[in-house]
Amino acid sequence: MRNRKSEIRNPKSEIRRPDLSVNFAGIKLKNPVMTASGTFGYGEEFADIIDLNRLGGVIVKGISLKPIKGNPPPRIWETPSGMLNAIGLENPGVDVFLREKLPFLGNYDTAVLVNIFGYSLEEYVGVAERLDGVPGVSGLEVNISCPNVKAGGIVFGTNLKAAFELLSAVRNATRLPVIAKLSPNVTDITEFAKVARDAGCNGLSLINTLLGMAIDIRSRKPRLANCTGGLSGPAIRPVAVRMVWQAAKAVDLPIIGMGGIMTHEDALEFILAGASAVAVGTANFVNPRATVDIIDGIEAFLAQEGFGSIRELVGQVRMA
Ligand SMILES: Cc1cc2nc3c(=O)[nH]c(=O)nc-3n(C[C@H](O)[C@H](O)[C@H](O)COP(=O)(O)O)c2cc1C
């Protein structure tokens, strides 16, 4: 007897689902939603809560050449609509990452971008070289918001010359797509976007956290042991959307937009401003399912508004 089920037409299957896929600097993403570095560990930490296969990509926590212990506590302080953190880029170093962290993500069908950093140009280059040609790594996101201890602590990401030299050196050290993660702690973000382009980077990621500080008025001590920390969350979103919009107009590079994305509406703001993909950070602490909720929300929005692909919306903010 023939299976009657196969003869029943399913009206739902005839509705075309919007295409969420994005080719970001040669990296194929099934949808534009990734996890922001440092807020999603190495993926394993969230694997019991969400299906990692649903993510466009995982941008892992920052990796350096050698292990780093991080800052003493307190390292996190909640602020109005945001969070200050001074974790101090704690991580096990690139060798342990390759041996113990990366293989887990290989079990999933999602792009893996490795966020790298260092305290000298040579350290950045060393990590980039270690990751070159490693199966399962789709690209490098270079966190340039670090001080160069060999050059008096000048922050790579806030000095045009230092940023150019660093990004050029990393570009020459790997065959992987190189995405420059820009610091928002600058006067003109477009100058740094242009430096990344001139150094041969394949994409931009912005924004990293804004430098902030909070003080306990009774003890008169800073809330963070490190005194200052990086501000993230909804408090920084309008700044981030503005910077993505300015960078997208200044250079012809694809952008991963981030900064305070909590909902699919927030993510779509970044896409209209010019981002081809987005990353979700602080929201993961509030709602560990935020990424999948955002993916579902984007898909539903596109279907409701009659768009066939997310790509139709990139940079489509109307100016008049
Ligand atoms: C706890 C914490 C740790 C972070 N660690 C990193 C890191 O290792 N490397 C990096 O480039 N950015 C790091 N970031 C910055 C985020 O990736 C992101 O750029 C920023 O938080 C803005 O996005 P959000 O407001 O959605 O969190 C960290 C942010 C937080 C809150």
Side-chain angles (χ1 to χ4, degrees):
M1 202 178 124
R2 284 173 66 195
N3 180 359
R4 264 186 60 78
K5 240 188 174 173
S6 65
E7 289 169 11
I8 299 169
R9 293 176 79 199
N10 176 2
K12 264 196 177 163
S13 68
E14 283 165 23
I15 300 169
R16 262 241 193 110
R17 295 180 77 173
D19 180 5
L20 294 190
S21 68
V22 175
N23 184 327
F24 188 91
I27 306 168
K28 290 200 177 84
L29 307 177
K30 63 173 70 156
N31 64 63
V33 180
M34 300 196 260
T35 59
S37 178
T39 65
F40 203 75
Y42 301 101
E44 203 166 353
E45 296 83 343
F46 282 75
D48 289 340
I49 305 168
I50 61 166
D51 177 6
L52 302 186
N53 290 306
R54 297 225 37 219
L55 300 174
V58 171
I59 308 180
V60 298
K61 187 166 161 52
I63 295 291
S64 51
L65 197 55
K66 298 273 172 258
I68 289 182
K69 263 178 126 179
N71 290 326
R75 312 203 287 187
I76 293 212
W77 179 252
E78 201 173 325
T79 65
S81 300
M83 184 175 119
L84 273 177
N85 93 81
I87 305 294
L89 296 169
E90 177 179 339
N91 81 96
V94 67
D95 291 333
V96 173
F97 169 71
L98 289 175
R99 220 174 38 238
E100 295 175 17
K101 305 289 180 189
L102 184 63
F104 177 81
L105 283 169
N107 299 322
Y108 295 91
D109 177 23
T110 184
V112 176
L113 277 73
V114 182
N115 180 286
I116 66 165
F117 73 94
Y119 292 106
S120 69
L121 188 144
E122 294 75 19
E123 281 180 19
Y124 277 93
V125 167
V127 194
E129 285 175 346
R130 287 284 166 85
L131 293 166
D132 185 37
V134 171
V137 176
S138 299
L140 301 184
E141 182 186 59
V142 189
N143 174 7
I144 62 173
S145 302
C146 290
N148 183 355
V149 292
K150 286 197 181 165
I154 190 170
V155 175
F156 287 105
T158 60
N159 179 285
L160 291 170
K161 188 167 168 283
F164 178 76
E165 283 170 6
L166 173 66
L167 291 170
S168 304
V170 172
R171 179 57 287 172
N172 289 331
T174 178
R175 290 160 292 175
L176 287 166
V178 171
I179 298 151
K181 182 158 180 184
L182 302 185
S183 165
N185 301 309
V186 296
T187 311
D188 183 356
I189 197 76
T190 66
E191 291 183 334
F192 288 86
K194 287 175 189 163
V195 151
R197 174 200 60 198
D198 295 346
C201 291
N202 310 91
L204 300 177
S205 193
L206 64 151
I207 61 174
N208 210 320
T209 52
L210 279 155
L211 196 61
M213 183 173 177
I215 299 170
D216 178 344
I217 59 164
R218 309 224 177 268
S219 70
R220 286 180 263 140
K221 285 185 181 162
R223 296 286 190 182
L224 297 173
N226 188 56
C227 295
T228 60
L231 182 64
S232 63
I236 70 170
R237 192 169 58 241
V239 177
V241 172
R242 183 263 296 175
M243 286 192 169
V244 166
W245 177 68
Q246 288 179 319
K249 283 195 301 170
V251 296
D252 192 16
L253 286 178
I255 296 175
I256 305 171
M258 71 193 79
I261 296 176
M262 308 301 279
T263 66
H264 72 277
E265 283 106 336
D266 303 338
L268 287 163
E269 265 194 72
F270 280 85
I271 288 177
L272 289 169
S276 306
V278 294
V280 177
T282 301
N284 292 307
F285 296 108
V286 184
N287 168 17
R289 297 188 49 81
T291 43
V292 284
D293 291 349
I294 289 168
I295 296 164
D296 291 341
I298 292 175
E299 183 171 354
F301 178 85
L302 293 180
Q304 277 156 18
E305 300 290 316
F307 291 105
S309 160
I310 185 67
R311 299 185 297 276
E312 290 169 42
L313 287 181
V314 175
Q316 291 306 308
V317 57
R318 288 191 188 148
M319 284 305 145

